[in-house]
Amino acid sequence: MDRYIAKELTMPFLFGVGAFSSIGISIGALFELIRRITESGLAITLAAQIFLLKLPEFIVLAFPMSTLLATMMTYSRFSSDSELIALRGVGVSIRRIITPAVVLSLLVTGLTFVFNELITPAANYRAAITLEQALKSERPPFQERNIFYQEFQPASDDPAAQELKRQFYARRFDGTTMHGLTILDFSQKGLNQVVSAESANWDVESNAWTFYNGTIYVVAPDGSFRNIITFETQKLQLPRTPLDLAGRTKNDTEMNIAEATQQLELVRQSGDEKMIRRWQIRIMQKYALPFVCVVFGLVGASIGVLPQRTSRATSFGISIVIIFGYYLLSFITNAMGEVGALSPFMSAWLPTLLGLAIGLYLLFRASK
C-alpha cells in the first residue's frame, strides 16, 4: 500500500515543482532578463547563465506548494474512485493511509533545508554578481560611504537600560582605509573624548585602529575642554566592527543561517533595534520555511480524504487559494514583527503553527 501511494504522490509532486517553478521564475526573473537583453544589451549567454543560477530559489519556493498539490490531488482521486472506502473496509485507518504523505512532507522539508543552506544563497549571490558585472554596475565588495556604527553599554544609573558608549562615523571607505573620521567616546566615566582624524586603518598585528593626522578633544563632564591633543599617528583600541560592517554587502537571500547569524551579531553591536529585529525575523524564517512542507502535506492529505468527488482542476484551484492565504498571512505577520507587534519567533512561526493546528483538526475530523 505504501509503495502504491508513494508512486501516486510522485507524479503530481514533480508536476507541481515544474509548474510552480516555471510560473515563479517567469514572473520573478525571466521577464526582467528579457527586458535587460532588449534595453541594456545583456548577452543571451549571460542571461541564460543567470536564469540557471536563479532556478534554485524558485524550485525551493515550489516545494511546499507542490507538496500541497500532490497530496490533495492524490487523496482526492482515492476518495473519488472509492479506493479509500476499500482501504477502510479492510481495516486501514485514515491516519495510516496518510502516513506516506507525511513521510513525503518530511523528506521535502529536509530537501528544502539543504537547498536553503547550501545551494540557494550561493546561487543568488553569483547571479547578482554576474548581472552587475555584465551591466558594468558591479557591486563594490564593501560599503563605500557613510560607515556608521554605534555601541551601547548599561546605563550608569540603571543597569537594565542602555546608553551610548561609542559612536563611529567614517565619511568614505576605499576597501582598506577609512577617511574623514569622527568618533564620540563615552566609555570612560567622567571623561568624554571626541576623535577627529583624516584617515584610519585596521592594524591586524596589534589588533587596533591606527589613526592619521587627527585631534583628540577631551571634554569634562561639565562640557568644558580639558585637553586637546593633535597627532600624526595614534593607535586606539576600538572595536573592529565598523570594518566588518563595511565589508559585508550581501542581502538576506544571499546568506545561509550561519552568515545571517554573523550579520545579526554585527548589527546587534550597532544598537539599531529596527535592524536587529529584522535580522532576527529573517533568521527565524529560514528555520520556519522548510516546515511549511509538513503543514501543506498534512492539510492537503486531510482535505483529500474527505468524502467528495473533486476533479484535478478543482484540487489545483483549492491549492492556489490555500497557498495564497498562507503567504498573505506570512506577509502580515512579517510586517507585525518588523514593527514590534509580534516577537521575531512568532512573526516567523505563527503561520506555520496555525497551519499545523488546522491540519491536525482536519485530520481529526476525517478520522471520525
Side-chain angles (χ1 to χ4, degrees):
M1 180 188 75
D2 290 338
R3 187 180 301 174
Y4 171 69
I5 296 175
K7 183 180 176 184
E8 292 296 313
L9 284 168
T10 302
M11 287 310 296
F13 176 76
L14 295 178
F15 167 77
V17 171
F20 289 121
S21 300
S22 300
I23 295 170
I25 200 165
S26 296
I27 297 173
L30 184 59
F31 295 156
E32 175 65 15
L33 287 174
I34 292 173
R35 190 179 70 82
R36 294 287 188 181
I37 291 171
T38 55
E39 294 184 3
S40 306
L42 178 66
I44 293 178
T45 52
L46 283 176
Q49 184 180 342
I50 295 167
F51 179 83
L52 293 175
L53 287 169
K54 295 292 288 183
L55 263 180
E57 179 183 1
F58 293 97
I59 289 175
V60 82
L61 287 175
F63 281 161
M65 298 183 268
S66 305
T67 304
L68 174 65
L69 181 67
T71 52
M72 187 172 291
M73 288 179 71
T74 301
Y75 285 96
S76 293
R77 192 190 68 74
F78 289 166
S79 180
S80 299
D81 295 347
S82 301
E83 292 183 40
L84 289 179
I85 295 175
L87 287 171
R88 300 194 71 175
V90 296
V92 183
S93 68
I94 288 294
R95 292 174 187 173
R96 180 66 185 85
I97 292 171
I98 70 166
T99 297
V102 175
V103 172
L104 171 70
S105 305
L106 291 171
L107 290 175
V108 179
T109 296
L111 190 61
T112 304
F113 196 80
V114 170
F115 262 73
N116 278 341
E117 281 298 288
L118 303 179
I119 300 173
T120 305
N124 279 345
Y125 182 64
R126 192 68 254 164
I129 295 297
T130 303
L131 180 61
E132 288 164 3
Q133 288 176 340
L135 299 178
K136 295 183 171 38
S137 60
E138 189 173 352
R139 183 193 313 183
F142 47 81
Q143 184 179 339
E144 291 180 304
R145 291 190 176 276
N146 299 321
I147 292 87
F148 189 77
Y149 165 70
Q150 288 182 320
E151 187 179 359
F152 289 83
Q153 61 186 354
S156 57
D157 55 346
D158 182 6
Q162 296 281 305
E163 64 182 16
L164 186 64
K165 178 181 181 182
R166 193 175 287 124
Q167 181 167 298
F168 181 107
Y169 174 74
R171 195 177 306 278
R172 188 168 60 84
F173 180 50
D174 62 11
T176 56
T177 304
M178 301 274 187
H179 299 272
L181 297 108
T182 302
I183 293 98
L184 306 180
D185 191 343
F186 306 102
S187 59
Q188 300 181 46
K189 189 175 181 181
L191 190 65
N192 302 326
Q193 291 187 102
V194 180
V195 181
S196 176
E198 184 178 304
S199 61
N201 55 29
W202 178 255
D203 188 338
V204 178
E205 293 183 357
S206 61
N207 205 29
W209 285 93
T210 303
F211 287 76
Y212 300 97
N213 302 324
T215 306
I216 299 176
Y217 303 90
V218 182
V219 184
D222 60 3
S224 61
F225 285 115
R226 276 194 176 179
N227 200 3
I228 299 177
I229 304 169
T230 58
F231 60 86
E232 292 185 358
T233 303
Q234 178 72 41
K235 285 191 179 298
L236 293 176
Q237 295 291 336
L238 298 176
R240 179 193 154 90
T241 311
L243 184 65
D244 294 331
L245 282 172
R248 285 184 176 271
T249 58
K250 288 184 178 180
N251 61 42
D252 60 281
T253 65
E254 297 165 355
M255 295 184 188
N256 57 26
I257 291 175
E259 291 173 321
T261 303
Q262 290 176 0
Q263 180 69 17
L264 172 62
E265 292 305 314
L266 289 176
V267 174
R268 201 189 295 277
Q269 294 178 43
S270 71
D272 187 336
E273 290 297 329
K274 186 176 180 181
M275 288 301 296
I276 292 171
R277 196 161 50 243
R278 179 172 296 176
W279 277 100
Q280 287 175 328
I281 293 170
R282 295 294 175 270
I283 292 171
M284 282 293 138
Q285 287 173 337
K286 288 178 183 292
Y287 284 110
L289 177 64
F291 288 94
V292 181
C293 301
V294 176
V295 172
F296 279 3
L298 186 60
V299 170
S302 300
I303 293 176
V305 297
L306 293 174
Q308 57 192 315
R309 291 192 175 278
T310 305
S311 66
R312 291 189 174 186
T314 305
S315 298
F316 187 81
I318 295 172
S319 300
I320 295 297
V321 171
I322 294 174
I323 291 165
F324 178 77
Y326 176 83
Y327 284 106
L328 177 62
L329 179 61
S330 298
F331 179 81
I332 293 171
T333 58
N334 177 72
M336 293 176 70
E338 293 205 3
V339 299
L342 288 176
S343 69
F345 177 85
M346 289 305 295
S347 173
W349 283 92
L350 183 59
T352 303
L353 296 175
L354 189 60
L356 186 62
I358 293 172
L360 291 173
Y361 171 72
L362 292 172
L363 176 62
F364 174 74
R365 279 193 57 192
S367 301
K368 289 175 68 176

